[in-house]
Amino acid sequence: MRALRILLIVVVVLAGVFIAVDRAAVYFAESEAADRVVVPGARTGSTDVSIKGFPFLTQVAGSELDEVDVKVTGIEATAAGRSLRISRMDAELHQVRLTDGFSGATAARATGTAVISYEDLTKAAADGVAVEYGGNGKVKVTGAVNILGRTLSRSVLSTVTLVDGHTVRVHADKVPGEGIPGLEGLVREKTDFEREVGTLPNGLKLERIQPIADGLEISVTGTDVRLAG
């Protein structure tokens, strides 16, 4: 009985040591991975990586991680002379294959959400135009228009759509002077615009966009998503 107790104590101690080593390895790997997440052609802010599953060391031994959650804030790229900043993006990556001596990683599939704040959308709009949430899945666009020498400020409710999977289109449902030759076009020069979303990690694509109180919420999916290497 004494020998059995000693054996049980040894097993418990070794298990504790293994868990401690495993968690330390996860912490180190998460820190290293955060520095290696690549968004081609864009400047990125902070990146947080969380590796799921236990034990971690056996996953590494098999060169595949069950799930890796990535949060990136401040993805910014320039297209057509205007930058459109993705305020934050959260992605769940599954079956992440470790390659190139653990210096690279590719996820078999990914799902997530990206958000463009109204502040960032305003910066991407024409000069003097402000964009905010208009309620009921619409945005409100406010801008100043010069009509017959008078500068008038007008607000319109607009629909936001995703074009070709990479371009955000803001189009006013109705504008003042609609149908009047020249006037409608003058107003829409301010209220309507398209901006291309900057490059995402290879393999990710945008699928659906929806204005919410916090900003434009965009569904993100992907296969064979290359994170680094």
Side-chain angles (χ1 to χ4, degrees):
M1 290 296 295
R2 184 171 181 272
L4 181 58
R5 284 197 299 270
I6 293 174
L7 178 60
L8 289 174
I9 292 171
V10 170
V11 170
V12 170
V13 170
L14 290 178
V17 170
F18 176 77
I19 292 172
V21 171
D22 190 81
R23 295 301 90 189
V26 168
Y27 179 81
F28 176 77
E30 289 174 342
S31 178
E32 287 293 306
D35 294 332
R36 292 176 180 271
V37 173
V38 176
V39 181
R43 294 177 295 154
T44 60
S46 62
T47 302
D48 293 319
V49 175
S50 178
I51 299 174
K52 305 297 183 180
F54 179 83
F56 167 70
L57 293 175
T58 58
Q59 295 182 68
V60 172
S63 297
E64 183 173 297
L65 306 178
D66 296 337
E67 180 184 336
V68 178
D69 293 349
V70 177
K71 180 178 181 179
V72 185
T73 57
I75 303 174
E76 185 172 337
T78 300
R82 290 272 182 175
S83 63
L84 181 59
R85 183 177 183 269
I86 297 177
S87 309
R88 69 179 187 273
M89 181 180 69
D90 299 291
E92 292 183 0
L93 313 172
H94 301 274
Q95 295 175 269
V96 180
R97 299 186 300 276
L98 305 176
T99 59
D100 304 323
F102 303 131
S103 64
T106 301
R109 57 189 178 87
T111 58
T113 302
V115 175
I116 300 173
S117 72
Y118 293 117
E119 179 183 358
D120 287 324
L121 190 59
T122 293
K123 292 177 181 178
D127 293 338
V129 170
V131 185
E132 59 187 313
Y133 186 52
N136 297 320
K138 303 285 185 179
V139 299
K140 184 169 76 171
V141 181
T142 303
V145 181
N146 189 291
I147 301 175
L148 300 176
R150 297 181 59 188
T151 300
L152 304 177
S153 180
R154 290 291 183 265
S155 295
V156 296
L157 287 178
S158 300
T159 298
V160 181
T161 54
L162 194 61
V163 182
D164 298 330
H166 57 73
T167 300
V168 173
R169 172 183 290 167
V170 178
H171 184 80
D173 297 343
K174 295 181 65 176
V175 299
E178 191 166 23
I180 300 176
L183 182 55
E184 179 178 353
L186 189 64
V187 175
R188 287 193 180 277
E189 283 182 7
K190 284 288 188 178
T191 61
D192 295 4
F193 61 93
E194 293 184 1
R195 296 291 182 265
E196 186 175 348
V197 179
T199 307
L200 295 174
N202 293 330
L204 281 181
K205 62 180 180 179
L206 308 179
E207 285 204 333
R208 183 186 60 82
I209 190 167
Q210 175 69 30
I212 60 173
D214 292 339
L216 302 183
E217 185 179 75
I218 309 173
S219 297
V220 179
T221 62
T223 56
D224 294 326
V225 180
R226 191 171 179 82
L227 299 174

